[in-house]
Amino acid sequence: MDFEYTDDQDSLREAARALLTKAYGDYGKRRAVTQADPGYSTETWSRLAELGGLGLPFSEEDGGAGAGWIEAAVVAQELGRVVAPEPYVVSVGLAGRLVADAGTAEQRAEVLGAIASGERLVAVAHDEPGRRWSPTAGDTKATQDGEGWTIEGVKEPVVQGGVADLFVVSAVLPEGGTGLFLVEGDASGVERESFPAADGGRVARVTFTAATAVPLGSAGENRTATIATALDTARILAANEAVGIMEVALRMTTEYLKSRKQFGVTLNTFQALTFRAADMYVSLELATSITQWATMVLEDGDAAAISAAARRVALQVSRAGRHIGQEAIQLHGGIGMTAEYAVGAYTTRLTTLDHLFGDGTYALGALADGVGGYDAVDPLS
């Protein structure tokens, strides 16, 4: 595998970094954006669209840029570096993947084209109260009446569900299995209650009461496998965002240790603190390497391989994020706990990403479930 970016990918990274540094290079701008609804900058979102960043993984026939998931991962890392609140992983990675894999040609062109242009924000209404990280729906039901369909149920949390123009909704089908549907945000029977999340973004509780829905792709088809692959795609993109966050959190911490003085000397003079920073670097390198590998697996497109890679990267990045985030705050001392200093926001976003699609414990359990599928190894032979 070649872990080096191509010239085009490097150019994309530089363009995305320039755009996002201008938007959020000053941490105060990020704080101001997250303190007001919708919790992200629609202007920055539009500029990402103009850059082509929102349509990178989609084909040109569907209105995308015809690039790939590696390019999308490049943008996700740059969003992480400035802890940008834009819902890139959820809208492009999760909703986009569901529509790309399940939608008809007309639906792909309409919805993916709108995502790529920034014209419409598409949210995924999948998690339900008391139920998360599963590829199946729980209590949300889909009902067919003649040629039409309606959705009944509650979805929570729905990232940016309060302002989404369109929902991709999962629901239990009359014949069993989980189907996917498109529901307009302003449709009759859709109620949404938006509230701030811990990382400054917005999530919503969305209630569907006989809401008119359009099947995504073939009506009545069980889409459990499609949802599972989309969640794995989102896990790998989220890992890339987390790597960007961890890189900056480590850099901020080492710069602080080099500049903050105690007893007349800088903190990096104390060997114990330097060792802790070195351990953070090791965690970052392990997370970066497995994330690069998982992103290449994602690009290759084999669903079983993507699933295995997503579990591995989720576990490693979960552990690294927890380690680096907590150490960054502790090594900064009291200022690490203040809202005015950025390192706390970086740690909070790492925690949010960890819980968004399945934390380290969930990933470890999923890997453990598959241990029986491997050949036995005799350590003495």
Side-chain angles (χ1 to χ4, degrees):
M1 288 186 170
D2 184 359
F3 288 93
E4 296 292 330
Y5 287 139
T6 65
D7 291 343
D8 287 343
Q9 290 164 350
D10 267 329
S11 297
L12 171 65
R13 179 178 60 176
E14 291 171 5
R17 183 171 298 183
L19 188 159
L20 293 167
T21 300
K22 184 177 181 180
Y24 296 116
D26 177 356
Y27 174 64
K29 293 182 180 178
R30 197 264 183 192
R31 286 194 68 206
V33 166
T34 56
Q35 286 173 349
D37 287 336
Y40 73 97
S41 168
T42 53
E43 180 183 353
T44 302
W45 190 250
S46 296
R47 290 186 176 176
L48 272 174
E50 292 170 3
L51 180 69
L54 304 186
L56 287 169
F58 313 134
S59 70
E60 293 180 283
E61 292 77 13
D62 294 336
W69 291 107
I70 292 178
E71 286 75 9
V74 168
V75 174
Q77 283 196 22
E78 294 307 316
L79 287 161
R81 293 177 66 84
V82 292
V83 71
E86 276 65 30
Y88 187 80
V89 172
V90 171
S91 186
V92 176
L94 186 55
R97 178 92 203 209
L98 287 171
V99 174
D101 287 355
T104 63
E106 292 76 14
Q107 288 173 331
R108 293 198 307 271
E110 179 183 348
V111 179
L112 297 182
I115 292 175
S117 66
E119 179 185 348
R120 307 190 83 190
L121 182 67
V122 183
V124 176
H126 176 60
D127 287 329
E128 299 177 14
R131 182 185 181 86
R132 58 180 181 174
W133 309 335
S134 168
T136 60
D139 295 328
T140 302
K141 312 292 184 185
T143 303
Q144 185 173 17
D145 183 10
E147 295 296 319
W149 289 79
T150 57
I151 299 289
E152 193 93 17
V154 177
K155 296 291 188 178
E156 182 184 20
V158 181
V159 177
Q160 287 299 347
V163 295
D165 301 296
L166 180 69
F167 293 103
V168 179
V169 187
S170 61
V172 178
L173 297 167
E175 302 299 325
T178 298
L180 288 171
F181 298 85
L182 296 175
V183 178
E184 294 290 338
D186 59 358
S188 175
V190 177
E191 294 182 14
R192 28 193 184 177
E193 178 186 359
S194 181
F195 47 90
D199 64 347
R202 298 293 187 276
V203 295
R205 176 185 177 90
V206 184
T207 303
F208 299 96
T209 307
T212 301
V214 176
L216 184 60
S218 302
E221 186 170 347
N222 183 4
R223 294 292 185 181
T224 301
T226 304
I227 296 170
T229 299
L231 288 172
D232 289 332
T233 299
R235 290 177 181 120
I236 295 173
L237 276 190
N240 277 278
E241 183 179 335
V243 165
I245 294 171
M246 288 186 282
E247 285 180 2
V248 177
L250 174 59
R251 190 188 68 212
M252 293 170 64
T253 304
T254 55
E255 288 175 351
Y256 181 78
L257 294 177
K258 292 176 183 175
S259 59
R260 179 78 166 92
K261 288 187 175 181
Q262 287 282 355
F263 310 112
V265 295
T266 56
L267 291 178
N268 66 325
T269 308
F270 301 102
Q271 197 175 46
L273 300 184
T274 305
F275 283 171
R276 288 172 67 175
D279 287 342
M280 292 170 66
Y281 175 76
V282 172
S283 288
L284 173 61
E285 285 298 297
L286 289 172
T288 301
S289 298
I290 198 169
T291 299
Q292 289 175 329
W293 165 74
T295 305
M296 292 183 195
V297 173
L298 174 62
E299 182 71 18
D300 289 342
D302 179 77
I306 291 172
S307 175
R311 294 172 182 182
R312 287 168 171 78
V313 75
L315 176 59
Q316 188 64 50
V317 171
S318 173
R319 289 175 171 175
R322 187 178 180 86
H323 174 219
I324 291 174
Q326 291 182 347
E327 285 290 78
I329 286 182
Q330 289 189 19
L331 292 175
H332 273 88
I335 66 169
M337 296 295 292
T338 61
E340 290 76 12
Y341 197 72
V343 72
Y346 279 75
T347 302
T348 305
R349 181 58 182 165
L350 283 172
T351 304
T352 300
L353 287 172
D354 186 30
H355 290 277
L356 201 52
F357 306 111
D359 61 14
T361 302
Y362 174 81
L364 181 61
L367 286 168
D369 288 342
V371 167
Y374 292 94
D375 295 334
V377 176
D378 183 354
L380 301 180
S381 64

